[in-house]
Amino acid sequence: THTMDVHHRPLSLRERVGVRVLAALFALGSAAVYAADPDAPQTEQVIEPRLDRREIVVPRIDTEDFEIGVVGGILSIEDFGANALLGARLAYHVTEDWFVELAGGVSTISDTTFRNLGAAQFPNEEEDLTYYNLSVGLNVFPGELFISERRALSAAVYLIGGVGSTDFLNDAAQRENKFTFNFGLGIRLLPTDWLAFHVTMRDHVWESDLLGENKITHNFELSTSITAFF
């Protein structure tokens, strides 16, 4: 006769399912008892974070919409060198993002290089140059510039472009009056809520025939300006 060891008999499918059901019921019962016990230990946060928040002073643009100021810099005329620039600007801020600007400036245009070659272009070695333009600006990157732990300046990078006129040569017979496009990029910083400091790079584009042929000239301006809101 053969005897069978019942201790090593594999469980049938029905027995395995029953064991798993009992284990699941036991787990659910333990969870219910734990939830109903008000004296059950609670998880405590061992470390409470303490954040020291800095008070940052940031000047905001004044509530007034107009901005006026003086401009100084350099204007480089294609083929005729670079000279000092002095001007003024008046802006009206339509919204926080858009503004309209009326600007004008005076500089000089010189044919010194051509005179040295015996080919003077102007009646005088230096002639007055004036320009004015009406432009539209868009603040593309408004933000803040931190200058210390507790001090920040309101700042903005803006695009600007428009149309206007450029005049030079004092002689009425030779006077040049050029329709001018301008476009560029500027940075504005506000040390206070009513005072602003600008750095502007701009290209003044007009058609010129001073050297005997018509061509589009690019005349670059690098300037700074100090303005006030009112």
Side-chain angles (χ1 to χ4, degrees):
T1 60
H2 296 280
T3 60
M4 182 173 59
D5 188 355
V6 296
H7 297 288
H8 293 83
R9 180 176 60 84
L11 298 177
S12 66
L13 176 61
R14 180 180 297 178
E15 290 172 333
R16 289 200 301 271
V17 171
V19 170
R20 291 180 181 180
V21 170
L22 289 175
L25 292 175
F26 178 78
L28 290 175
S30 299
V33 171
Y34 180 82
D37 185 5
D39 298 328
Q42 303 294 324
T43 302
E44 296 183 359
Q45 187 173 358
V46 178
I47 301 176
E48 295 183 0
R50 297 185 59 185
L51 300 178
D52 296 329
R53 300 188 181 276
R54 296 178 298 171
E55 295 183 1
I56 304 297
V57 179
V58 181
R60 301 297 181 185
I61 295 179
D62 202 350
T63 55
E64 304 299 339
D65 297 324
F66 287 94
E67 182 184 7
I68 190 171
V70 295
V71 179
I74 296 175
L75 179 62
S76 177
I77 308 299
E78 185 173 335
D79 298 322
F80 293 96
N83 289 284
L85 166 71
L86 182 63
R89 57 176 295 185
L90 172 66
Y92 174 69
H93 292 262
V94 183
T95 68
E96 291 184 357
D97 297 324
W98 294 93
F99 63 91
V100 179
E101 178 193 84
L102 177 64
V106 295
S107 184
T108 57
I109 183 171
S110 172
D111 67 349
T112 302
T113 302
F114 295 95
R115 285 177 180 271
N116 293 337
L117 299 175
Q121 300 295 311
F122 307 145
N124 302 301
E125 185 174 352
E126 287 190 351
E127 296 284 345
D128 294 334
L129 179 147
T130 62
Y131 75 84
Y132 67 87
N133 53 55
L134 180 64
S135 306
V136 176
L138 170 64
N139 297 318
V140 290
F141 296 118
E144 298 171 354
L145 175 65
F146 286 85
I147 59 176
S148 70
E149 291 185 356
R150 297 184 178 275
R151 178 73 174 175
L153 301 182
S154 292
V157 176
Y158 57 86
L159 301 176
I160 192 166
V163 297
S165 178
T166 303
D167 302 322
F168 50 92
L169 297 183
N170 295 325
D171 190 332
Q174 294 180 299
R175 189 170 187 82
E176 297 282 342
N177 187 311
K178 302 296 184 181
F179 180 78
T180 305
F181 294 96
N182 82 88
F183 59 90
L185 176 73
I187 301 172
R188 181 182 63 230
L189 302 175
L190 278 85
T192 69
D193 62 349
W194 61 271
L195 183 68
F197 177 76
H198 296 254
V199 177
T200 307
M201 296 168 286
R202 197 181 315 226
D203 185 9
H204 300 262
V205 182
W206 67 73
E207 186 177 8
S208 174
D209 59 356
L210 289 176
L211 299 181
E213 62 176 343
N214 289 329
K215 67 175 184 177
I216 301 298
T217 61
H218 296 271
N219 309 279
F220 294 97
E221 169 192 336
L222 176 62
S223 62
T224 61
S225 59
I226 298 176
T227 60
F229 286 86
F230 68 97

